Amino acid sequence: MHLLIPAAGSGKRMGADRNKLLLEVHSKPLIAWTLLAAEAANSISWIGIVSQPSDWEDFKSIIADLKLKKTIEFIAGGSTRQESVYNGLQALPETAKQVLIHDGARCLATPSLFNACSEAVLDCSGLIAAISVKDTIKIVDNNGIITSTPDRQQLWAAQTPQGFDVKLLKQCHAEGVRQGWEVTDDAALFEKCGIEVRIVPGEETNLKITTPQDLAIAEFILSHR
Ligand code: C5P
């Protein structure tokens, strides 16, 4: 299975002066944990890291330290996650029929989650790892007034990996560019194009590291593994 890792973000919400994926958690850069999980997942044979060329030197030295054996390619990132994934898709080898997309910032996903997604994507057009939400979620208008309360049983928190048929994902991204759609995950492009995306059970610990608090939680989880 081919895996694309969007890793071209900044450290803005983290309050960091560099790519948050280079920050240390449990004695390793955050991206190292993501890469170690991908390396340990038997189903993954090729990894494409989509990142800003200014970070490539740092990423390459991290990979050298980890002594990773899988093929790892570097692809230049875009100004949004959506653009970064678009760039990654253009760089996939012709042989890639399905692809997993996994945020570099989700450094706690386990190898077995990668393997489960790799297996399930062979039987469907698209999937995402997701967990059911524990909180009651409110829809709120611009004045801070609640407009509705969706039925919690139908609400799922989207995670990555997300897996897709490559041909369909390329078509959906191209349609997204044509229509000017701005989305925060790839499944949303499938939904807008009317193509089915299924849920596979995600992991409670598969957090997207966004804030300094998330980093502290990741430190705790990694130190208890
Ligand atoms: O910012 P956020 O954590 O939501 O981004 C999700 C993932 O997308 C991160 O792994 C980040 O590095 C990546 N990203 C990207 N290109 C961008 C912005 C974010 O690859 N321009």
Side-chain angles (χ1 to χ4, degrees):
M1 183 62 60
H2 292 73
L3 170 69
L4 285 174
I5 301 184
S10 63
K12 217 162 142 197
R13 281 177 293 173
M14 182 63 79
D17 56 358
R18 57 193 168 140
N19 188 340
K20 67 182 172 187
L21 303 188
L22 295 170
L23 300 179
E24 288 230 337
V25 54
H26 202 47
S27 309
K28 286 192 204 314
L30 204 155
I31 188 69
W33 294 106
T34 313
L35 289 168
L36 283 171
E39 173 84 1
N42 293 333
S43 60
I44 306 294
S45 55
W46 182 101
I47 300 170
I49 302 183
V50 192
S51 52
Q52 305 303 351
S54 52
D55 285 336
W56 287 1
E57 207 175 305
D58 285 331
F59 281 11
K60 281 180 184 167
S61 103
I62 292 166
I63 289 165
D65 287 349
L66 296 174
K67 300 188 171 53
L68 302 182
K69 298 213 169 56
K70 292 187 177 168
T71 309
I72 300 186
E73 302 281 346
F74 282 84
I75 302 141
S79 59
T80 61
R81 181 191 183 279
Q82 189 175 345
E83 245 180 67
S84 292
V85 175
Y86 181 94
N87 293 355
L89 288 174
Q90 312 316 311
L92 280 178
E94 295 264 308
T95 49
K97 301 292 172 233
Q98 288 87 16
V99 65
L100 295 190
I101 317 284
H102 181 65
D103 287 344
R106 287 192 188 267
C107 65
L108 300 170
T110 65
S112 61
L113 183 59
F114 282 103
N115 289 338
C117 291
S118 296
E119 198 184 325
V121 74
L122 300 177
D123 294 327
C124 63
S125 48
L127 62 78
I128 70 168
I131 53 170
S132 57
V133 302
K134 288 183 279 200
D135 296 319
T136 296
I137 306 284
K138 304 289 183 185
I139 309 285
V140 179
D141 71 14
N142 291 337
N143 300 317
I145 308 296
I146 295 170
T147 54
S148 65
T149 304
D151 173 11
R152 193 167 62 187
Q153 280 193 331
Q154 291 190 303
L155 293 175
W156 293 76
Q159 302 184 340
T160 65
Q162 302 197 349
F164 304 95
D165 176 280
V166 169
K167 220 167 131 192
L168 286 174
L169 187 58
K170 282 184 173 175
Q171 284 169 5
C172 292
H173 266 271
E175 187 63 14
V177 171
R178 270 193 295 276
Q179 303 283 352
W181 292 333
E182 287 178 15
V183 295
T184 50
D185 76 349
D186 299 284
L189 292 171
F190 261 50
E191 295 153 35
K192 282 175 175 289
C193 289
I195 307 173
E196 199 173 88
V197 182
R198 94 168 43 150
I199 295 284
V200 302
E203 295 173 331
E204 292 287 345
T205 51
N206 181 14
L207 308 175
K208 182 153 68 72
I209 310 302
T210 308
T211 64
Q213 287 83 350
D214 296 331
L215 213 51
I217 297 169
E219 176 70 41
F220 178 83
I221 293 171
L222 287 167
S223 64
H224 286 78
R225 275 193 175 158

